[in-house]
Amino acid sequence: MKLNHDCIRAVLLELEDRLSLNGLLLPNDLEAFNSYQKFGEDEFIYCLDKLIEAGFLVGYIQRLDDSIYTYSISSITWNGHEYLDTIRDNKVWHDSKKIASKFTSVSLSLMSEIASKLILKSLHLDEL
């Protein structure tokens, strides 16, 4: 599967809104997410899996007989919050995607770098 940057952003934004300090989101909770409905089960769970793998989320996906058995998310990590804070602004996100669209694929770290440069430029901090 191809990683969908829009799904990644939507999932992180929704998790940030719905997670509590000692909370745990289980499949029934996560299936109620707008991003689950918008992107579909496969893409949503794939994004969760990759966000866990990348160290952006604390959670697990348990497989049984080559299929997803259960999954849960307990928190967004420091790195997850840093990425989200960089791409949160709608204009920054739109402009970052426009720049990235010139290439067939762009990593999350490069998307973050593009967004960071756009933020610095908008604050006139790129000239220091």
Side-chain angles (χ1 to χ4, degrees):
M1 285 186 77
K2 188 174 178 183
L3 193 60
N4 183 325
H5 291 264
D6 288 315
C7 186
I8 292 286
R9 180 176 182 262
V11 166
L12 285 171
L13 286 168
E14 233 171 329
L15 283 169
E16 183 181 55
D17 283 343
R18 296 189 186 207
L19 280 167
S20 62
L21 181 59
N22 295 313
L24 181 67
L25 297 175
L26 300 170
N28 286 342
D29 305 313
L30 293 162
E31 289 166 10
F33 275 34
N34 293 330
S35 50
Y36 183 94
Q37 304 303 317
K38 179 178 180 179
F39 296 101
E41 178 182 31
D42 287 352
E43 195 151 18
F44 181 86
I45 294 174
Y46 185 75
C47 284
L48 289 180
D49 191 32
K50 295 302 146 191
L51 287 167
I52 293 167
E53 186 178 297
F56 284 18
L57 297 178
V58 176
Y60 72 91
I61 295 180
Q62 190 174 25
R63 291 172 171 79
L64 182 65
D65 296 328
D66 294 329
S67 62
I68 303 294
Y69 174 68
T70 190
Y71 52 96
S72 71
I73 303 298
S74 59
S75 69
I76 302 173
T77 66
W78 181 265
N79 289 336
H81 277 291
E82 278 200 332
Y83 178 71
L84 183 55
D85 287 342
T86 304
I87 55 125
R88 174 188 318 280
D89 182 81
N90 288 331
K91 180 172 176 16
V92 169
W93 179 245
H94 173 76
D95 292 349
S96 297
K97 284 182 21 177
K98 187 175 179 181
I99 291 167
S101 72
K102 298 173 185 174
F103 306 98
T104 55
S105 70
V106 174
S107 68
L108 290 182
S109 59
L110 185 53
M111 281 298 284
S112 182
E113 183 83 18
I114 292 167
S116 293
K117 298 278 186 192
L118 288 169
I119 292 168
L120 290 172
K121 187 176 180 179
S122 72
L123 295 172
H124 306 288
L125 296 175
D126 61 331
E127 301 165 3
L128 297 177

